[in-house]
Amino acid sequence: MPDQQFLSTVQKLENNIASVVLGKRDVIRFCLVALFAGEHLLLEDVPGVGKTLLARALAKSISGVFKRIQFTPDLIPADITGSNIYNPQKKEFDFVKGPIFGNILLADEINRTTPRTQSAMLEAMSERQVSCDGITTVLPPLFMVIATENPIEFEGTYPLPESQLDRFLMRVSVGYPERNEELEILNSHQFSSPIDKLKPVLSVEDILQIQKEVRKVYVAFDIQNYVLDLIEGTRTSSELFVGVSPRGGIAFTHAAQALAFIENRDFVNPDDIKRLAVPVLAHRVITKSFGQTNQREIVESIIERLVNTTPTPR
């Protein structure tokens, strides 16, 4: 079983975020899965449902370096990664780090900028480093991108490149709150924002240690084959043009390990795989009907049918 001290720390973090993001325990748990798996998270939903609030609450709960980039059509790659600036005193160029050099990076409305600028995130998200003018600078050991985006049907948005989508562990929707939860939200924001009072409950070192513990969660041979059966199903589906990549399979396994750890288990079970299939796999595939406005609903229903028709290991 996972160390009870770690589990207490995880619960403390979850409760801290839930004190600000009301009524969204499942979404918060998925955020923690991405964090503890050492991966990145994409929050896609309509404006105003709390995507940015959720990202800020997670960042403020960790005593690390939080950076935010508001993505706009005129943003350029150097605004993200940084650039070499001439220093007249030293008579040489100094690399001035951009906002990507932090522990938690909020990429707000990431799909409102051009694909050229979005591509500046690829190396950082995959290899945890930034290259500028032939010089490579390593990012901090704890580096997580939490990106928010509006549905592509909205005005002024660009679809994210497939290669960038594949670097996000999960795509999650926040959704509208229930009426009683929304009433509580109205009351909590009457005089000030609750997030202003939020304090860190974990250090960067705590998170890095938990990430190491997550990798120790056992994934049985039958579970590995179950993951591969689902992935193979996306590649052979008559409805899909592009299936899940090997990187997606690795991410799927890491997500399942993190979920099992959070739920006080030292092994992954089939239910972990089923719960994570849609948020982990749906954004990694392309349908043959690409171009229709309801792409997300179509692809998620395909993944759900695949889960329902793939034999579950006993």
Side-chain angles (χ1 to χ4, degrees):
M1 302 295 287
D3 190 297
Q4 293 304 310
Q5 181 179 356
F6 286 126
L7 290 174
S8 174
T9 303
V10 170
Q11 191 62 51
K12 188 184 299 184
L13 176 59
E14 188 172 17
N15 290 338
N16 202 55
I17 299 171
S19 69
V20 173
V21 183
L22 305 177
K24 297 297 178 183
R25 283 281 182 172
D26 288 344
V27 177
I28 294 171
R29 181 147 296 190
F30 280 152
C31 288
L32 298 187
V33 166
L35 174 65
F36 296 147
E39 300 283 351
H40 311 290
L41 179 68
L42 179 63
L43 299 172
E44 182 189 273
D45 216 320
V46 296
V49 294
K51 302 187 298 296
T52 302
L53 176 68
L54 175 58
R56 289 181 61 205
L58 175 59
K60 290 197 70 173
S61 297
I62 301 169
S63 58
V65 178
F66 171 59
K67 297 292 182 71
R68 174 176 177 170
I69 304 174
Q70 186 67 46
F71 281 70
T72 56
D74 59 348
L75 201 71
I76 62 174
D79 294 331
I80 298 172
T81 61
S83 59
N84 286 314
I85 305 296
Y86 184 71
N87 186 328
Q89 295 178 334
K90 297 165 59 177
K91 296 184 178 180
E92 60 183 32
F93 285 89
D94 292 332
F95 178 64
V96 178
K97 294 180 178 179
I100 203 167
F101 286 89
N103 299 123
I104 307 293
L105 173 66
L106 170 57
D108 211 6
E109 295 190 302
I110 192 172
N111 62 335
R112 288 201 179 276
T113 195
T114 61
R116 173 174 175 263
T117 302
Q118 290 169 5
S119 67
M121 304 283 290
L122 297 180
E123 181 184 16
M125 293 177 67
S126 180
E127 301 173 42
R128 309 302 171 99
Q129 64 183 33
V130 169
S131 297
C132 181
D133 294 338
I135 298 175
T136 298
T137 307
V138 178
L139 290 165
L142 175 61
F143 172 68
M144 179 185 186
V145 175
I146 306 176
T148 71
E149 71 168 354
N150 298 320
I152 60 172
E153 295 85 0
F154 276 55
E155 191 70 28
T157 60
Y158 300 84
L160 294 181
E162 292 80 6
S163 57
Q164 187 172 2
L165 284 171
D166 200 37
R167 284 164 168 78
F168 286 103
L169 176 68
M170 292 189 291
R171 178 179 64 186
V172 178
S173 290
V174 177
Y176 291 115
E178 299 292 336
R179 185 180 178 90
N180 61 324
E181 295 165 350
E182 192 160 9
L183 181 60
E184 190 175 351
I185 291 171
L186 292 178
N187 288 328
S188 67
H189 285 76
Q190 188 171 1
F191 301 107
S192 63
S193 175
I195 199 169
D196 295 336
K197 302 177 182 178
L198 210 60
K199 302 295 183 183
V201 294
L202 270 77
S203 67
V204 169
E205 290 71 24
D206 291 331
I207 300 297
L208 293 174
Q209 187 59 45
I210 290 174
Q211 289 177 349
K212 292 179 181 178
E213 293 299 314
V214 164
R215 289 292 193 271
K216 298 177 184 178
V217 173
Y218 179 65
V219 184
F221 185 72
D222 287 347
I223 298 295
Q224 292 176 3
N225 275 298
Y226 184 41
V227 168
L228 292 179
D229 287 342
L230 292 171
I231 290 174
E232 183 65 24
T234 67
R235 297 172 184 171
T236 58
S237 172
S238 60
E239 299 176 275
L240 296 176
F241 180 67
V242 174
V244 176
S245 68
R247 176 165 50 200
I250 296 171
F252 200 2
T253 304
H254 289 171
Q257 288 178 300
L259 181 60
F261 181 90
I262 292 170
E263 299 191 344
N264 195 20
R265 281 180 284 109
D266 57 5
F267 62 92
V268 173
N269 65 32
D271 287 339
D272 296 327
I273 304 300
K274 291 180 179 180
R275 283 173 61 187
L276 292 166
V278 169
V280 173
L281 301 182
H283 63 287
R284 302 176 189 271
V285 300
I286 300 176
T287 66
K288 291 184 177 178
S289 60
F290 183 75
Q292 294 186 15
T293 56
N294 58 340
Q295 274 299 298
R296 179 165 182 174
E297 291 80 4
I298 293 172
V299 75
E300 289 186 352
S301 66
I302 293 172
I303 299 298
E304 287 172 355
R305 287 199 302 273
L306 185 61
V307 171
N308 292 334
T309 56
T310 301
T312 304
R314 297 181 179 182

